[in-house]
Amino acid sequence: MKKMLLVLAVLLVGLQASAQKWTKEKANAWYSKVAWGAGADFLPATAINQLEMWQKETFDPATINRDLGYAAGIGMTYMRVYLHHLAWEIDKEGFKDRMKQYLAIADKHKIKTIFVFFDDCWNDTYKAGTQPAPKPGIHNSGWVQDPGVVTVDHALLEAYVKDVLTTFKSDKRILLWDLYNEPGNSKHGNNSMPLLQKVFSWGWAVRPDQPLSVGVWKLSLKELSQYQLDNSDVITYHDYQNDKKHFAFIDSVLVPRGLPMICTEYMARTNDSRFETILPELKKRKIIAVNWGLVAGKSNTIYAWNTPIKDGSEPPVWFHDIFRQDGTPYKPAETALIKSLTAVK
């Protein structure tokens, strides 16, 4: 009897989930009204991580405006921006006000935003207040996970997600909610499944006007990837492979699902993931293309993931990022290509 009740409970949860997820028809109808565009994963050059971006003491609208201006100048119309629950926890109303300030700046530049809630990448501990200085030559030396290994009551995380989603649930300046970046990364594996499941349920409880998604990034994490694909309104994905492998992956795994696709991370030059080989095909397929990195800064993402340069000198080939802080393109041929594809005169 107990076993039967358990099976019924699981089935009920599945039915509730399917009732909350957008239908394929709704997802494709939504995407048919969305303009193709290019964009970047965005952190102002003066911030080392999500906390430095969003805390009151270091929120920097002047740099945000400058850097988004560089993006708008090459026709970029989408930015993917990470949040952090701790910045909300210590200053809930101030945090949401700063989100509104950011959105106003982005909207001025005709840029829509993909906001990210949780993240399993890089440093697994963090604290509020002054953030560490960059470690010379080390990629994302100060980026922090959310919630990582820090003990955080899921009731607090639920309140955070629901508060932010409820506040911005009808905001047309927001393209999409990315609920969880790369669940299972940093050796978390299936330990990330409970939070992944919960954040979808919290999103469904609010059911914003914008779609909910969690990007597929590593198919060897089978249970996580399957859950992400089965429950996202539209498909988002990351791919840092060369063009042949990139498009073979989406053709074999993602296209058969018949849902809109948005690439929320790509472009790592020394991995042979490049604008010139991937962006034109993404446009041809009407897959919104969001590369990692805009302006070189405290994140140190001009350096490759596992190839530090201890003296902090500039690498011969930048891994990510497009502009220097004075607005000069790292590679003018790339910005010319982006402008040609986004139809900037």
Side-chain angles (χ1 to χ4, degrees), residues 21 29 32 34 47 50 54 56 64 88-89 93 106 150 162 201 230 269 274 292 308 316 321 336 344:
K21 178 187 172 184
S32 70
V34 173
Q50 312 93 305
W54 292 111
K56 178 181 179 181
I64 291 171
W88 171 88
E89 182 183 356
E93 295 307 314
V150 178
K162 288 183 175 179
S201 70
D230 287 346
R269 294 179 185 90
R274 298 173 178 269
W292 187 277
D321 299 319
V344 173

Side-chain angles (χ1 to χ4, degrees), residues 67-274:
D67 291 0
L68 292 184
Y70 296 158
I74 57 172
M76 285 187 159
T77 48
Y78 298 104
M79 291 288 133
R80 182 170 178 253
V81 179
Y82 287 73
L83 307 173
H84 201 286
H85 88 272
L86 184 57
W88 171 88
E89 182 183 356
I90 62 178
D91 183 16
K92 297 177 178 62
E93 295 307 314
F95 176 80
K96 290 185 291 182
D97 181 65
R98 288 185 284 280
M99 287 182 67
K100 292 173 184 176
Q101 290 181 60
Y102 162 82
L103 285 167
I105 296 168
D107 188 57
K108 180 183 72 173
H109 292 293
K110 300 181 179 179
I111 289 170
K112 292 195 173 187
T113 299
I114 298 169
F115 280 123
V116 186
F117 279 109
F118 300 127
D119 187 7
D120 274 354
C121 293
W122 302 106
N123 297 293
D124 58 14
T125 59
Y126 45 84
K127 60 181 180 179
T130 302
Q131 298 301 299
K135 296 177 181 178
I138 296 178
H139 179 108
N140 255 339
S141 66
W143 192 265
V144 292
Q145 298 176 29
D146 188 8
V149 299
V150 178
T151 301
V152 182
D153 186 347
H154 277 196
L156 175 71
L157 298 179
E158 178 180 4
Y160 158 60
V161 170
K162 288 183 175 179
D163 183 26
V164 172
L165 285 180
T166 299
T167 302
F168 297 98
K169 66 179 293 183
S170 300
D171 197 315
K172 297 185 183 304
R173 298 170 297 181
I174 298 171
L175 178 73
L176 179 144
W177 296 99
D178 192 335
L179 300 175
Y180 198 151
N181 180 66
E182 298 195 354
N185 207 333
S186 305
K187 300 182 180 179
H188 287 296
N190 280 345
N191 291 328
S192 298
M193 182 65 85
L195 182 58
L196 176 65
Q197 293 172 326
K198 286 180 179 180
V199 72
F200 269 108
S201 70
W202 302 335
W204 293 329
V206 176
R207 195 52 272 184
D209 294 344
Q210 310 95 340
L212 307 173
S213 185
V214 175
V216 179
W217 71 282
K218 190 174 184 180
L219 291 181
S220 60
L221 294 169
K222 294 180 182 179
E223 294 86 354
L224 291 165
S225 296
Q226 191 66 46
Y227 193 86
Q228 291 159 231
L229 287 168
D230 287 346
N231 291 281
S232 294
D233 294 328
V234 301
I235 292 174
T236 55
Y237 73 95
H238 302 172
D239 198 307
Y240 288 107
Q241 303 178 100
N242 64 36
D243 56 316
K244 183 177 180 180
K245 292 179 179 178
H246 184 133
F247 293 106
F249 160 66
I250 64 173
D251 284 337
S252 62
V253 177
L254 305 183
V255 169
R257 288 189 166 256
L259 288 171
M261 289 181 287
I262 298 173
C263 180
T264 49
E265 289 188 28
Y266 81 105
M267 210 290 289
R269 294 179 185 90
T270 57
N271 271 25
D272 201 22
S273 174
R274 298 173 178 269

